[in-house]
Amino acid sequence: MSLDLKNIIKPYPSPIITGRGIDLDFPMLAGCLALLGLGLVMITSASSEVAAVQSGNTLYHMIRHLIYLVIGLGACIVTMMIPIATWQRLGWLMLIGAFGLLVMVIVPGIGREVNGSMRWIGFGAFNVQPSEIAKVFVVIYLAGYLVRRQKEVRESWMGFFKPFIVLLPMAGLLLMEPDFGATVVMMGAAAAMLFLGGVGLFRFALMVGLAVAAVTILVQAQPYRMARLITFTDPWSDQFGSGYQLTQALIAFGRGEWLGVGLGNSVQKQFYLPEAHTDFVFSVLAEELGVVGSLATVGLFVFVCVRAMYIGLWAEKAKQFFAAYVAYGLAFLWIGQFLINIGVNVGLLPTKGLTLPFLSYGGSSLVICCACLGLLLRIEWESRTHLGSEEMEFSESDFAEEPTHGR
């Protein structure tokens, strides 16, 4: 008796397992791969001087970033293999997991302190940043809530306030690290999802007002936040103190002019600009590639974020509302981090420790961004093939005659 392994091992259909080969949203994939490639180049350039002094190997940070990139692409592939219905079923477990990670990171002996903040859990030579995972898990849970309680969210105050029973304690845990930037991004994405979920304009305006008041109180509650707020308005008043990082970033932008000083020729990365390969990698990019390179990078980000919003729109038109809300939420996470990071680099916002999606050095951020990309590619594929989120049995014949899409 022979065993037919093909019948025993039936992989669940996905964008990379169909009757006609790989079936992905190639414009979205190309945009994100371009950002990942640009990020690898800029990390190599921005970190070379620091790596040479700290480790004796000019390519130390590049090698680590490349390892994170490989892990991230693996996470992207795995995420594409998982049906959206599975994410919807496991939303509440992810929420519990997010709370667990955020509690663990502030426990002495488990959380690892870097630059005065307890934002990481150490695993040997690698650090995991739970806030990056928690933000995505909150989006997935909130998307499920908006689907389950759609009428209640749109028509009653209770449906509007219930999500904050979850969001506010999570924001409190983030502030205990402290991670004010991640708190703002998470709450902003949640507010945008609630608005797209149908919350009335009056209730939404009230939420925005309360959020502004809360941010004002939080800024005034900590002296270092108030100092950052005052400094960013006039960094040159204390250019060798609290305004040092911003003034060095602005010098990098000034030196770049239109076409930049050339790849690898940055002066500011040579110990003038702190965190040149993490939070301020965009400043080094502006110095080396100039206005043209900076605007091209911003254009790539705009394309990727708008494409993510369109993926949500396509899922909504296909009546796959959970998938649509997840796509919207992930898009707003990227938009929030992008705007804050660029705003900090050019001096429009106070300094915050937020990475630039796909570009900055940082394992957790890079891997989570790649996983989010996989989730968006899965959502686009399911909405285009009309699989929805129903429990269904599939065979290869279901995908053999799929028409080529024109998105």
Side-chain angles (χ1 to χ4, degrees), residues 211-224:
V212 171
V215 169
T216 303
I217 294 171
L218 288 171
V219 167
Q220 295 178 345
Q222 293 290 340
Y224 79 92

Side-chain angles (χ1 to χ4, degrees), residues 4-200:
D4 190 349
L5 294 178
K6 186 177 180 180
N7 290 329
I8 293 175
I9 305 174
K10 289 185 177 180
Y12 197 96
S14 74
I16 55 177
I17 303 177
T18 68
R20 58 189 186 89
I22 297 176
D23 185 19
L24 296 171
D25 180 11
F26 285 104
M28 181 66 170
L29 180 63
C32 291
L33 289 179
L35 287 172
L36 289 171
L38 179 62
L40 180 62
V41 171
M42 293 312 306
I43 294 304
T44 304
S45 175
S47 66
S48 58
E49 302 296 331
V50 175
V53 172
Q54 293 181 349
S55 67
N57 181 4
T58 305
L59 301 179
Y60 174 79
H61 291 296
M62 185 275 283
I63 294 171
R64 286 177 64 90
H65 189 78
L66 191 58
I67 293 172
Y68 294 139
L69 182 56
V70 172
I71 296 172
L73 292 176
C76 177
I77 293 172
V78 170
T79 306
M80 279 192 287
M81 303 286 288
I82 302 174
I84 299 302
T86 302
W87 297 103
Q88 187 170 5
R89 285 196 305 270
L90 299 178
W92 65 276
L93 284 176
M94 293 180 182
L95 183 69
I96 294 173
F99 271 109
L101 288 171
L102 292 179
V103 169
M104 287 174 61
V105 78
I106 59 176
V107 174
I110 298 179
R112 180 174 291 181
E113 184 175 347
V114 179
N115 295 331
S117 297
M118 295 279 286
R119 301 180 186 176
W120 293 267
I121 297 177
F123 293 94
F126 298 94
N127 293 329
V128 175
Q129 192 169 358
S131 61
E132 295 290 339
I133 303 171
K135 287 184 293 188
V136 177
F137 284 3
V138 164
V139 165
I140 293 172
Y141 174 80
L142 188 56
Y145 174 82
L146 290 172
V147 171
R148 293 191 306 272
R149 306 287 184 179
Q150 189 175 57
K151 185 176 180 180
E152 189 178 356
V153 168
R154 293 180 176 181
E155 298 178 0
S156 73
W157 283 95
M158 186 55 66
F160 168 67
F161 280 119
K162 278 182 180 178
F164 292 97
I165 298 175
V166 171
L167 292 172
L168 292 178
M170 187 163 289
L173 289 172
L174 286 171
L175 290 172
M176 290 176 68
E177 297 182 5
D179 195 343
F180 188 66
T183 307
V184 171
V185 170
M186 183 190 74
M187 297 300 286
M193 290 175 68
L194 286 169
F195 180 73
L196 293 176
V199 169

Side-chain angles (χ1 to χ4, degrees), residues 251-312:
I251 290 171
F253 278 93
R255 293 192 75 253
E257 298 184 352
W258 286 101
L259 298 177
V261 297
L263 188 63
N265 294 327
S266 167
V267 172
Q268 294 305 104
K269 69 181 181 182
Q270 298 178 13
F271 301 97
Y272 291 102
L273 179 61
E275 309 295 339
H277 60 295
T278 54
D279 301 343
F280 283 84
V281 68
F282 189 75
S283 297
V284 177
L285 184 149
E287 183 182 3
E288 295 188 347
L289 304 183
V291 172
V292 175
S294 300
L295 291 179
T297 304
V298 171
L300 268 176
F301 271 111
V302 170
F303 171 77
V304 165
C305 293
V306 170
R307 190 75 179 182
M309 293 292 290
Y310 267 104
I311 288 174

